[in-house]
Amino acid sequence: MSLRLGTFNIENLMTRFDFSGWRNQLRQDRVLRLYDVQDKVVYQQLEQARLIAETDDTRQLSALAIAEADADILCLQEVDNMPALQAFEYGYLYRMVGNGYRQKYLVEGNDSRGIDVAVLMREETRTGEKIEVVDVRSHAMLTYHDLGLFNDELALTNDPYDKIFKRDCLELELKIGGKPFSLYVVHFKSMGNARDGTDGRTGTMAIRTAEARAVRHIIERQFGKGRTADKNFAICGDMNDYQEKVQVIGTRRLGYRFEPVREEASALDVFSHDGFAENPVERRDVMDRWTLYHARGPEEQHLCQLDYIWLSPTLARRSAERIPEIIRGGQPYRTVFPPGQEVERFPRIGWDRPKASDHCPVVMELDLE
């Protein structure tokens, strides 16, 4: 019996317009900066028209990426709300896939922009096994104090009663063909907001580390500490951290070279250091594990994995011959691919936009017993 599990940061699947760029130029779209707009109402009308025109292409490309992943269960990040998810699934995804994801789950979390994690599920796997939902739990209200996670490093930016998850850890207790399967969907703290001369990743790592520890605590509380190895669970989502990256050196005109670099520390070490969970994407070549291209000019470019399907030891062992897929056809043409990894982009992909997302979907076939 097999299950096809995927995760995808769909990037701002929103039902709202953001007019904050009228007062804050840092939040203003670059195309509107080309025009001298002096009237707020005119600005709002232009922003609405711009976003509506851009969104149709974007969501067609997002749907194509999801259709190519062809997951039985798909974990999503950056979803505004349930109406947004329903409108996207019916208006775009259903047209691409043909058979819809009728089971949808989303709980409003803690993100200041209102973006949440969500799950789309078919009623049956592709092999005909019934997908049943036993329970759905949100952990958005957990605080550092609740789990005893507060420390001196967190105290620099947080209080003991602050919520641990910057979005949520959405837990779904499932049965796949009658077999128990637990799923944990997350979207960890971003790597922005650098402080005290540190880079954004280092300055926010304590928050992500606490989120990872909290996920592990939730799983160990569910199954018993030291008794998780033989359980069927997966942790999916955009974890906004990496244990390695591929440094991209050079320019488009002069050419590139690519150098893999292992990081000394990562919030994700919480999962991997003692074998609590396995990142099966590491079964791919070290140059071919990336799900996101990051660039701030030619001096700062790298490819890295931010999107994960962490497997329990027993799931990893049963699926030892399976290699996760990374869907890159929705990437914009500005993304630098190492030699031999080029793919055929989806129709209408642009230099920077439109695109399916800044992230790539990850999908894997799991063998369940």
PDB file of all heavy atoms in Angstrom, residues 196-224:
ATOM      1  N   ASP A 196      21.533  43.272  15.399  1.00  0.00           N
ATOM      2  CA  ASP A 196      22.837  43.306  16.067  1.00  0.00           C
ATOM      3  C   ASP A 196      23.960  42.822  15.167  1.00  0.00           C
ATOM      4  O   ASP A 196      24.882  42.122  15.618  1.00  0.00           O
ATOM      5  CB  ASP A 196      22.803  42.451  17.355  1.00  0.00           C
ATOM      6  CG  ASP A 196      21.785  42.965  18.359  1.00  0.00           C
ATOM      7  OD1 ASP A 196      21.528  44.181  18.347  1.00  0.00           O
ATOM      8  OD2 ASP A 196      21.273  42.156  19.147  1.00  0.00           O
ATOM      9  N   GLY A 197      23.883  43.168  13.894  1.00  0.00           N
ATOM     10  CA  GLY A 197      24.963  42.825  12.986  1.00  0.00           C
ATOM     11  C   GLY A 197      24.968  41.395  12.508  1.00  0.00           C
ATOM     12  O   GLY A 197      25.838  41.005  11.726  1.00  0.00           O
ATOM     13  N   THR A 198      24.007  40.571  12.950  1.00  0.00           N
ATOM     14  CA  THR A 198      23.957  39.181  12.493  1.00  0.00           C
ATOM     15  C   THR A 198      23.122  39.103  11.219  1.00  0.00           C
ATOM     16  O   THR A 198      22.297  39.965  10.942  1.00  0.00           O
ATOM     17  CB  THR A 198      23.317  38.268  13.552  1.00  0.00           C
ATOM     18  OG1 THR A 198      21.953  38.677  13.762  1.00  0.00           O
ATOM     19  CG2 THR A 198      24.075  38.351  14.870  1.00  0.00           C
ATOM     20  N   ASP A 199      23.336  38.041  10.449  1.00  0.00           N
ATOM     21  CA  ASP A 199      22.507  37.844   9.269  1.00  0.00           C
ATOM     22  C   ASP A 199      21.132  37.345   9.703  1.00  0.00           C
ATOM     23  O   ASP A 199      20.929  36.905  10.846  1.00  0.00           O
ATOM     24  CB  ASP A 199      23.169  36.840   8.326  1.00  0.00           C
ATOM     25  CG  ASP A 199      23.274  35.455   8.944  1.00  0.00           C
ATOM     26  OD1 ASP A 199      24.293  35.184   9.620  1.00  0.00           O
ATOM     27  OD2 ASP A 199      22.347  34.650   8.769  1.00  0.00           O
ATOM     28  N   GLY A 200      20.169  37.450   8.784  1.00  0.00           N
ATOM     29  CA  GLY A 200      18.794  37.118   9.115  1.00  0.00           C
ATOM     30  C   GLY A 200      18.608  35.686   9.580  1.00  0.00           C
ATOM     31  O   GLY A 200      17.813  35.423  10.493  1.00  0.00           O
ATOM     32  N   ARG A 201      19.330  34.765   8.987  1.00  0.00           N
ATOM     33  CA  ARG A 201      19.184  33.360   9.375  1.00  0.00           C
ATOM     34  C   ARG A 201      19.663  33.138  10.801  1.00  0.00           C
ATOM     35  O   ARG A 201      18.979  32.503  11.620  1.00  0.00           O
ATOM     36  CB  ARG A 201      19.963  32.475   8.396  1.00  0.00           C
ATOM     37  CG  ARG A 201      19.911  30.985   8.737  1.00  0.00           C
ATOM     38  CD  ARG A 201      20.534  30.141   7.628  1.00  0.00           C
ATOM     39  NE  ARG A 201      20.554  28.743   7.987  1.00  0.00           N
ATOM     40  CZ  ARG A 201      21.575  28.135   8.597  1.00  0.00           C
ATOM     41  NH1 ARG A 201      22.677  28.822   8.893  1.00  0.00           N
ATOM     42  NH2 ARG A 201      21.513  26.851   8.897  1.00  0.00           N
ATOM     43  N   THR A 202      20.840  33.645  11.127  1.00  0.00           N
ATOM     44  CA  THR A 202      21.384  33.466  12.470  1.00  0.00           C
ATOM     45  C   THR A 202      20.527  34.181  13.506  1.00  0.00           C
ATOM     46  O   THR A 202      20.245  33.641  14.583  1.00  0.00           O
ATOM     47  CB  THR A 202      22.829  33.996  12.531  1.00  0.00           C
ATOM     48  OG1 THR A 202      23.625  33.316  11.562  1.00  0.00           O
ATOM     49  CG2 THR A 202      23.429  33.797  13.912  1.00  0.00           C
ATOM     50  N   GLY A 203      20.074  35.394  13.175  1.00  0.00           N
ATOM     51  CA  GLY A 203      19.319  36.176  14.130  1.00  0.00           C
ATOM     52  C   GLY A 203      17.955  35.611  14.470  1.00  0.00           C
ATOM     53  O   GLY A 203      17.374  35.972  15.499  1.00  0.00           O
ATOM     54  N   THR A 204      17.418  34.739  13.643  1.00  0.00           N
ATOM     55  CA  THR A 204      16.094  34.159  13.886  1.00  0.00           C
ATOM     56  C   THR A 204      16.140  32.659  14.171  1.00  0.00           C
ATOM     57  O   THR A 204      15.091  32.039  14.347  1.00  0.00           O
ATOM     58  CB  THR A 204      15.182  34.400  12.663  1.00  0.00           C
ATOM     59  OG1 THR A 204      15.834  33.883  11.485  1.00  0.00           O
ATOM     60  CG2 THR A 204      14.902  35.883  12.464  1.00  0.00           C
ATOM     61  N   MET A 205      17.331  32.080  14.237  1.00  0.00           N
ATOM     62  CA  MET A 205      17.431  30.625  14.370  1.00  0.00           C
ATOM     63  C   MET A 205      16.869  30.117  15.693  1.00  0.00           C
ATOM     64  O   MET A 205      16.288  29.026  15.758  1.00  0.00           O
ATOM     65  CB  MET A 205      18.875  30.155  14.200  1.00  0.00           C
ATOM     66  CG  MET A 205      18.974  28.638  14.069  1.00  0.00           C
ATOM     67  SD  MET A 205      20.641  28.026  13.800  1.00  0.00           S
ATOM     68  CE  MET A 205      21.017  28.726  12.203  1.00  0.00           C
ATOM     69  N   ALA A 206      17.006  30.894  16.761  1.00  0.00           N
ATOM     70  CA  ALA A 206      16.497  30.437  18.057  1.00  0.00           C
ATOM     71  C   ALA A 206      14.988  30.211  18.007  1.00  0.00           C
ATOM     72  O   ALA A 206      14.465  29.283  18.639  1.00  0.00           O
ATOM     73  CB  ALA A 206      16.840  31.460  19.139  1.00  0.00           C
ATOM     74  N   ILE A 207      14.275  31.038  17.248  1.00  0.00           N
ATOM     75  CA  ILE A 207      12.822  30.898  17.136  1.00  0.00           C
ATOM     76  C   ILE A 207      12.472  29.622  16.374  1.00  0.00           C
ATOM     77  O   ILE A 207      11.602  28.851  16.787  1.00  0.00           O
ATOM     78  CB  ILE A 207      12.220  32.138  16.450  1.00  0.00           C
ATOM     79  CG1 ILE A 207      12.486  33.387  17.299  1.00  0.00           C
ATOM     80  CG2 ILE A 207      10.720  31.952  16.213  1.00  0.00           C
ATOM     81  CD1 ILE A 207      12.079  34.682  16.639  1.00  0.00           C
ATOM     82  N   ARG A 208      13.169  29.384  15.267  1.00  0.00           N
ATOM     83  CA  ARG A 208      12.904  28.159  14.495  1.00  0.00           C
ATOM     84  C   ARG A 208      13.303  26.914  15.279  1.00  0.00           C
ATOM     85  O   ARG A 208      12.637  25.876  15.197  1.00  0.00           O
ATOM     86  CB  ARG A 208      13.640  28.203  13.157  1.00  0.00           C
ATOM     87  CG  ARG A 208      13.003  29.120  12.138  1.00  0.00           C
ATOM     88  CD  ARG A 208      13.655  28.952  10.774  1.00  0.00           C
ATOM     89  NE  ARG A 208      15.077  29.251  10.822  1.00  0.00           N
ATOM     90  CZ  ARG A 208      15.592  30.476  10.803  1.00  0.00           C
ATOM     91  NH1 ARG A 208      14.798  31.524  10.759  1.00  0.00           N
ATOM     92  NH2 ARG A 208      16.902  30.666  10.842  1.00  0.00           N
ATOM     93  N   THR A 209      14.382  27.003  16.033  1.00  0.00           N
ATOM     94  CA  THR A 209      14.806  25.860  16.853  1.00  0.00           C
ATOM     95  C   THR A 209      13.729  25.518  17.877  1.00  0.00           C
ATOM     96  O   THR A 209      13.420  24.340  18.102  1.00  0.00           O
ATOM     97  CB  THR A 209      16.139  26.164  17.549  1.00  0.00           C
ATOM     98  OG1 THR A 209      17.144  26.420  16.561  1.00  0.00           O
ATOM     99  CG2 THR A 209      16.586  25.000  18.419  1.00  0.00           C
ATOM    100  N   ALA A 210      13.145  26.546  18.486  1.00  0.00           N
ATOM    101  CA  ALA A 210      12.064  26.310  19.442  1.00  0.00           C
ATOM    102  C   ALA A 210      10.850  25.699  18.753  1.00  0.00           C
ATOM    103  O   ALA A 210      10.183  24.810  19.313  1.00  0.00           O
ATOM    104  CB  ALA A 210      11.685  27.621  20.122  1.00  0.00           C
ATOM    105  N   GLU A 211      10.547  26.153  17.537  1.00  0.00           N
ATOM    106  CA  GLU A 211       9.431  25.567  16.788  1.00  0.00           C
ATOM    107  C   GLU A 211       9.686  24.088  16.515  1.00  0.00           C
ATOM    108  O   GLU A 211       8.779  23.249  16.664  1.00  0.00           O
ATOM    109  CB  GLU A 211       9.229  26.334  15.484  1.00  0.00           C
ATOM    110  CG  GLU A 211       8.658  27.730  15.682  1.00  0.00           C
ATOM    111  CD  GLU A 211       8.463  28.483  14.376  1.00  0.00           C
ATOM    112  OE1 GLU A 211       9.463  28.669  13.644  1.00  0.00           O
ATOM    113  OE2 GLU A 211       7.332  28.886  14.084  1.00  0.00           O
ATOM    114  N   ALA A 212      10.908  23.757  16.101  1.00  0.00           N
ATOM    115  CA  ALA A 212      11.239  22.356  15.833  1.00  0.00           C
ATOM    116  C   ALA A 212      11.156  21.520  17.110  1.00  0.00           C
ATOM    117  O   ALA A 212      10.642  20.390  17.101  1.00  0.00           O
ATOM    118  CB  ALA A 212      12.633  22.256  15.219  1.00  0.00           C
ATOM    119  N   ARG A 213      11.649  22.072  18.213  1.00  0.00           N
ATOM    120  CA  ARG A 213      11.559  21.351  19.487  1.00  0.00           C
ATOM    121  C   ARG A 213      10.109  21.142  19.900  1.00  0.00           C
ATOM    122  O   ARG A 213       9.754  20.087  20.458  1.00  0.00           O
ATOM    123  CB  ARG A 213      12.310  22.130  20.566  1.00  0.00           C
ATOM    124  CG  ARG A 213      13.831  22.059  20.431  1.00  0.00           C
ATOM    125  CD  ARG A 213      14.515  22.970  21.433  1.00  0.00           C
ATOM    126  NE  ARG A 213      15.965  22.842  21.362  1.00  0.00           N
ATOM    127  CZ  ARG A 213      16.819  23.727  21.851  1.00  0.00           C
ATOM    128  NH1 ARG A 213      16.362  24.827  22.459  1.00  0.00           N
ATOM    129  NH2 ARG A 213      18.134  23.540  21.748  1.00  0.00           N
ATOM    130  N   ALA A 214       9.275  22.135  19.616  1.00  0.00           N
ATOM    131  CA  ALA A 214       7.862  22.002  19.954  1.00  0.00           C
ATOM    132  C   ALA A 214       7.187  20.917  19.120  1.00  0.00           C
ATOM    133  O   ALA A 214       6.380  20.133  19.641  1.00  0.00           O
ATOM    134  CB  ALA A 214       7.156  23.347  19.754  1.00  0.00           C
ATOM    135  N   VAL A 215       7.503  20.853  17.829  1.00  0.00           N
ATOM    136  CA  VAL A 215       6.952  19.786  16.982  1.00  0.00           C
ATOM    137  C   VAL A 215       7.370  18.422  17.522  1.00  0.00           C
ATOM    138  O   VAL A 215       6.545  17.503  17.652  1.00  0.00           O
ATOM    139  CB  VAL A 215       7.425  19.945  15.523  1.00  0.00           C
ATOM    140  CG1 VAL A 215       6.994  18.737  14.687  1.00  0.00           C
ATOM    141  CG2 VAL A 215       6.872  21.222  14.909  1.00  0.00           C
ATOM    142  N   ARG A 216       8.640  18.307  17.863  1.00  0.00           N
ATOM    143  CA  ARG A 216       9.124  17.032  18.404  1.00  0.00           C
ATOM    144  C   ARG A 216       8.424  16.702  19.721  1.00  0.00           C
ATOM    145  O   ARG A 216       8.051  15.548  19.956  1.00  0.00           O
ATOM    146  CB  ARG A 216      10.640  17.093  18.580  1.00  0.00           C
ATOM    147  CG  ARG A 216      11.224  15.815  19.116  1.00  0.00           C
ATOM    148  CD  ARG A 216      12.707  15.721  18.897  1.00  0.00           C
ATOM    149  NE  ARG A 216      13.236  14.500  19.498  1.00  0.00           N
ATOM    150  CZ  ARG A 216      14.442  14.013  19.287  1.00  0.00           C
ATOM    151  NH1 ARG A 216      15.273  14.653  18.463  1.00  0.00           N
ATOM    152  NH2 ARG A 216      14.851  12.897  19.860  1.00  0.00           N
ATOM    153  N   HIS A 217       8.228  17.697  20.565  1.00  0.00           N
ATOM    154  CA  HIS A 217       7.523  17.479  21.832  1.00  0.00           C
ATOM    155  C   HIS A 217       6.103  16.975  21.580  1.00  0.00           C
ATOM    156  O   HIS A 217       5.632  16.044  22.259  1.00  0.00           O
ATOM    157  CB  HIS A 217       7.484  18.791  22.621  1.00  0.00           C
ATOM    158  CG  HIS A 217       6.670  18.706  23.876  1.00  0.00           C
ATOM    159  ND1 HIS A 217       7.206  18.388  25.105  1.00  0.00           N
ATOM    160  CD2 HIS A 217       5.334  18.881  24.097  1.00  0.00           C
ATOM    161  CE1 HIS A 217       6.252  18.383  26.017  1.00  0.00           C
ATOM    162  NE2 HIS A 217       5.105  18.679  25.428  1.00  0.00           N
ATOM    163  N   ILE A 218       5.405  17.582  20.617  1.00  0.00           N
ATOM    164  CA  ILE A 218       4.032  17.181  20.302  1.00  0.00           C
ATOM    165  C   ILE A 218       3.987  15.716  19.864  1.00  0.00           C
ATOM    166  O   ILE A 218       3.117  14.947  20.284  1.00  0.00           O
ATOM    167  CB  ILE A 218       3.450  18.104  19.221  1.00  0.00           C
ATOM    168  CG1 ILE A 218       3.217  19.505  19.792  1.00  0.00           C
ATOM    169  CG2 ILE A 218       2.158  17.534  18.637  1.00  0.00           C
ATOM    170  CD1 ILE A 218       2.987  20.563  18.730  1.00  0.00           C
ATOM    171  N   ILE A 219       4.931  15.330  19.022  1.00  0.00           N
ATOM    172  CA  ILE A 219       4.965  13.948  18.522  1.00  0.00           C
ATOM    173  C   ILE A 219       5.311  12.981  19.653  1.00  0.00           C
ATOM    174  O   ILE A 219       4.679  11.908  19.792  1.00  0.00           O
ATOM    175  CB  ILE A 219       5.976  13.825  17.370  1.00  0.00           C
ATOM    176  CG1 ILE A 219       5.509  14.670  16.180  1.00  0.00           C
ATOM    177  CG2 ILE A 219       6.159  12.368  16.951  1.00  0.00           C
ATOM    178  CD1 ILE A 219       6.524  14.797  15.070  1.00  0.00           C
ATOM    179  N   GLU A 220       6.286  13.349  20.476  1.00  0.00           N
ATOM    180  CA  GLU A 220       6.672  12.465  21.582  1.00  0.00           C
ATOM    181  C   GLU A 220       5.580  12.382  22.649  1.00  0.00           C
ATOM    182  O   GLU A 220       5.419  11.350  23.301  1.00  0.00           O
ATOM    183  CB  GLU A 220       7.987  12.956  22.189  1.00  0.00           C
ATOM    184  CG  GLU A 220       9.176  12.744  21.258  1.00  0.00           C
ATOM    185  CD  GLU A 220      10.475  13.297  21.794  1.00  0.00           C
ATOM    186  OE1 GLU A 220      10.440  14.260  22.605  1.00  0.00           O
ATOM    187  OE2 GLU A 220      11.541  12.785  21.401  1.00  0.00           O
ATOM    188  N   ARG A 221       4.819  13.435  22.813  1.00  0.00           N
ATOM    189  CA  ARG A 221       3.686  13.385  23.740  1.00  0.00           C
ATOM    190  C   ARG A 221       2.590  12.487  23.182  1.00  0.00           C
ATOM    191  O   ARG A 221       1.898  11.781  23.941  1.00  0.00           O
ATOM    192  CB  ARG A 221       3.156  14.802  23.971  1.00  0.00           C
ATOM    193  CG  ARG A 221       2.027  14.879  24.999  1.00  0.00           C
ATOM    194  CD  ARG A 221       1.628  16.327  25.246  1.00  0.00           C
ATOM    195  NE  ARG A 221       1.167  16.985  24.029  1.00  0.00           N
ATOM    196  CZ  ARG A 221       0.910  18.286  23.954  1.00  0.00           C
ATOM    197  NH1 ARG A 221       1.097  19.069  25.004  1.00  0.00           N
ATOM    198  NH2 ARG A 221       0.476  18.811  22.820  1.00  0.00           N
ATOM    199  N   GLN A 222       2.429  12.494  21.860  1.00  0.00           N
ATOM    200  CA  GLN A 222       1.399  11.675  21.227  1.00  0.00           C
ATOM    201  C   GLN A 222       1.707  10.184  21.334  1.00  0.00           C
ATOM    202  O   GLN A 222       0.832   9.368  21.661  1.00  0.00           O
ATOM    203  CB  GLN A 222       1.262  12.071  19.753  1.00  0.00           C
ATOM    204  CG  GLN A 222       0.374  11.184  18.915  1.00  0.00           C
ATOM    205  CD  GLN A 222      -1.098  11.374  19.189  1.00  0.00           C
ATOM    206  OE1 GLN A 222      -1.498  12.296  19.903  1.00  0.00           O
ATOM    207  NE2 GLN A 222      -1.920  10.493  18.639  1.00  0.00           N
ATOM    208  N   PHE A 223       2.963   9.819  21.070  1.00  0.00           N
ATOM    209  CA  PHE A 223       3.330   8.403  20.985  1.00  0.00           C
ATOM    210  C   PHE A 223       4.127   7.896  22.188  1.00  0.00           C
ATOM    211  O   PHE A 223       4.268   6.682  22.368  1.00  0.00           O
ATOM    212  CB  PHE A 223       4.152   8.152  19.718  1.00  0.00           C
ATOM    213  CG  PHE A 223       3.408   8.454  18.451  1.00  0.00           C
ATOM    214  CD1 PHE A 223       3.836   9.458  17.595  1.00  0.00           C
ATOM    215  CD2 PHE A 223       2.274   7.745  18.107  1.00  0.00           C
ATOM    216  CE1 PHE A 223       3.159   9.740  16.418  1.00  0.00           C
ATOM    217  CE2 PHE A 223       1.580   8.014  16.933  1.00  0.00           C
ATOM    218  CZ  PHE A 223       2.026   9.025  16.086  1.00  0.00           C
ATOM    219  N   GLY A 224       4.674   8.818  22.974  1.00  0.00           N
ATOM    220  CA  GLY A 224       5.543   8.422  24.072  1.00  0.00           C
ATOM    221  C   GLY A 224       7.000   8.662  23.722  1.00  0.00           C
ATOM    222  O   GLY A 224       7.453   8.262  22.646  1.00  0.00           O
TER     223      GLY A 224
END
